[in-house]
Amino acid sequence: GEDVEQSLFLSVRERDSSVINCTYTDSSSTYLYWYKQEPGAGLQLLTYIFSNMDMKQDQRLTVLLNKKDKHLSLRIADTQTGDSAIYFCAESSGYSSASKIIFGSGTRLSIRP
Amino acid sequence: NAGVTQTPKFQVLKTGQSMTLQCAQDMNHEYMSWYRQDPGMGLRLIHYSVGAGITDQGEVPNGYNVSRSTTEDFPLRLLSAAPSQTSVYFCASSPVGTYNEQFFGPGTRLTVL
């Protein structure tokens, strides 16, 4: 079945760039997402990319998609303490709101001074 | 808008007890879903609904029931709680339209003793 994999932990120094990586198996993915979960809260959509794009930039966030290798990454520039959270990669293979979304297990990003 | 609300925030049950986790949204979203989040396993879909009167099973439906009598409410019922159902439960809703953004509630932390 479909699967989304990501490493569980990442530690970066404040003001450095963070790069969180994700691989997925579904070759028919239409949308790929990055969600952020802060302590004690639900997930919140950070950004998404359509499968026919290879890059999307939004302020400090850059998403890179390598569809051939089924690899997605999220780069956070100038990492700040407020970026500490769990980041979930997810993919969807349909266009409607009922399309199944598969989540990875989440990468916990910690920031050191 | 309150967004997606869930009650209770915390619950402790004994094995064999039943209870209902409440979920409501005021965004007129057609699609609603329930996930459970376990350490190192990401989010797994329990049940979902594409509109009032329509529900369907997700990845891990056993031991749970749902109903959708209104667009706003999507309660999750545990029929006979088991320790394996100890988890954090998230309700989410999504509008019909592009990129399928899921809006998550704050979660219910359930412990079954």
Side-chain angles (χ1 to χ4, degrees):
Chain A
E2 305 94 339
D3 197 16
V4 176
E5 304 233 345
Q6 46 184 136
S7 54
L8 291 181
F9 301 100
L10 177 66
S11 175
V12 299
R13 202 181 300 274
E14 193 175 0
R15 290 182 291 280
D16 282 355
S17 290
S18 307
V19 180
I20 303 171
N21 293 300
C22 167
T23 57
Y24 60 97
T25 58
D26 188 355
S27 56
S28 62
S29 294
T30 50
Y31 294 103
L32 295 116
Y33 312 87
W34 285 103
Y35 279 84
K36 179 182 181 182
Q37 183 183 32
E38 296 185 353
L43 281 69
Q44 195 164 18
L45 182 67
L46 205 54
T47 187
Y48 71 97
I49 188 168
F50 190 50
S51 58
N52 68 352
M53 299 167 65
D54 50 22
M55 185 178 106
K56 182 178 181 180
Q57 189 149 5
D58 183 3
Q59 299 182 332
R60 292 190 298 122
L61 305 178
T62 303
V63 178
L64 296 178
L65 174 60
N66 181 328
K67 201 170 177 184
K68 174 176 165 291
D69 294 338
K70 299 192 186 70
H71 182 266
L72 183 75
S73 69
L74 173 70
R75 178 176 179 269
I76 306 173
D78 184 28
T79 308
Q80 298 160 13
T81 54
D83 295 323
S84 291
I86 301 176
Y87 291 82
F88 289 89
C89 174
E91 65 92 12
S92 168
S93 57
Y95 294 91
S96 75
S97 58
S99 303
K100 188 176 173 185
I101 298 180
I102 307 292
F103 287 87
S105 53
T107 299
R108 184 180 295 272
L109 176 64
S110 60
I111 316 301
R112 52 185 198 277
Chain B
N1 285 355
V4 180
T5 57
Q6 290 183 239
T7 56
K9 202 164 174 62
F10 301 95
Q11 182 71 49
V12 179
L13 292 178
K14 292 182 180 175
T15 296
Q17 286 185 313
S18 62
M19 80 157 295
T20 299
L21 308 186
Q22 301 292 344
C23 174
Q25 51 94 7
D26 60 0
M27 298 174 283
N28 204 32
H29 289 171
E30 292 197 357
Y31 182 79
M32 295 185 74
S33 53
W34 276 101
Y35 293 87
R36 58 178 289 173
Q37 182 182 26
D38 300 296
M41 298 188 73
L43 276 76
R44 292 183 291 169
L45 182 64
I46 304 171
H47 285 286
Y48 65 96
S49 166
V50 300
I54 307 168
T55 63
D56 208 343
Q57 296 182 348
E59 186 185 351
V60 288
N62 292 343
Y64 307 94
N65 270 358
V66 291
S67 59
R68 184 96 180 271
S69 55
T70 66
T71 300
E72 294 78 20
D73 300 297
F74 191 44
L76 177 73
R77 276 182 287 279
L78 279 72
L79 308 171
S80 176
S84 60
Q85 294 178 304
T86 294
S87 188
V88 181
Y89 291 85
F90 288 101
C91 178
S93 71
S94 179
V96 172
T98 58
Y99 74 85
N100 308 335
E101 178 178 358
Q102 301 263 319
F103 291 80
F104 284 83
T108 295
R109 185 174 293 274
L110 175 69
T111 302
V112 183
L113 302 174

